[in-house]
Amino acid sequence: MELRQRHYHFYGFTIVELLVTLAIIGMLLAVVLASFSAARAKGRDVERETEIQRLAVELRIFAEKHGRYPSALDGNCDAETSFGVGGCLTILVDEGFLPSLPDDPLGESYTGNPQSHHMYFYDNECGSGGTSGTQYRLWANGERNHNATTAGWWNDQTIGATVCDDPV
């Protein structure tokens, strides 16, 4: 009697090969998404820097025209409310210096700490004191390191413009 041998040929991948492939794809996606996230944060910070510079120019022009910077004479000039309704910077829009005040790219609402929220802030205070209307601090909190503590700001993520020698 002759025994027949059957030959089975399996085509395809084993479960281990598929799992290794999925793990490699997952690691590559993690690297790409991390890079993409960092690029988006950098883009938002560039937008903040541009808005701060644009506002600083308009503040200089306002000061040349009025002999002072926007202050409590123009509305509420607390750091967290100066960009809002009734805030002192609305005069820049009212007098045609700006078409509108900027909103932060993340659009956060203020909940109590101007050193940690992603929004724009303005006030007439300096660490060294001074008269309201003769100075200003304008800042936003960025998402990356800007080495701002070397310029006297609260933390390295601060993006700021000021006429103060000592901003905090």
Side-chain angles (χ1 to χ4, degrees), residues 31 124-125 163:
V31 169
N124 293 120
E125 300 174 14
V163 293

Side-chain angles (χ1 to χ4, degrees), residues 11-31:
Y11 298 101
F13 300 102
T14 66
I15 190 75
V16 173
E17 291 171 327
L18 290 173
L19 289 174
V20 168
T21 303
L22 288 174
I24 291 170
I25 291 171
M27 286 188 286
L28 290 173
L29 277 174
V31 169

Side-chain angles (χ1 to χ4, degrees), residues 32-108:
V32 168
L33 289 177
S35 297
F36 183 66
S37 177
R40 291 183 67 194
K42 184 177 181 179
R44 288 188 297 266
D45 275 1
V46 167
E47 183 178 343
R48 289 179 184 106
E49 291 168 359
T50 302
E51 289 295 343
I52 293 285
Q53 292 169 359
R54 182 173 69 104
L55 283 166
V57 168
E58 297 305 327
L59 287 169
R60 254 190 312 261
I61 295 169
F62 179 91
E64 287 174 9
K65 178 179 178 184
H66 294 283
R68 62 176 178 81
Y69 293 104
S71 66
L73 298 172
D74 306 306
N76 190 341
C77 234
D78 294 333
E80 62 274 2
T81 58
S82 56
F83 277 84
V85 176
C88 63
L89 290 184
T90 57
I91 194 164
L92 296 175
V93 176
D94 295 344
E95 292 192 9
F97 290 96
L98 295 169
S100 65
L101 292 174
D103 289 321
D104 189 82
L106 287 177
E108 286 186 4

Side-chain angles (χ1 to χ4, degrees), residues 1-17:
M1 190 179 327
E2 185 180 323
L3 291 175
R4 285 184 157 175
Q5 289 186 349
R6 293 185 180 177
H7 295 287
Y8 294 101
H9 296 287
F10 293 103
Y11 298 101
F13 300 102
T14 66
I15 190 75
V16 173
E17 291 171 327

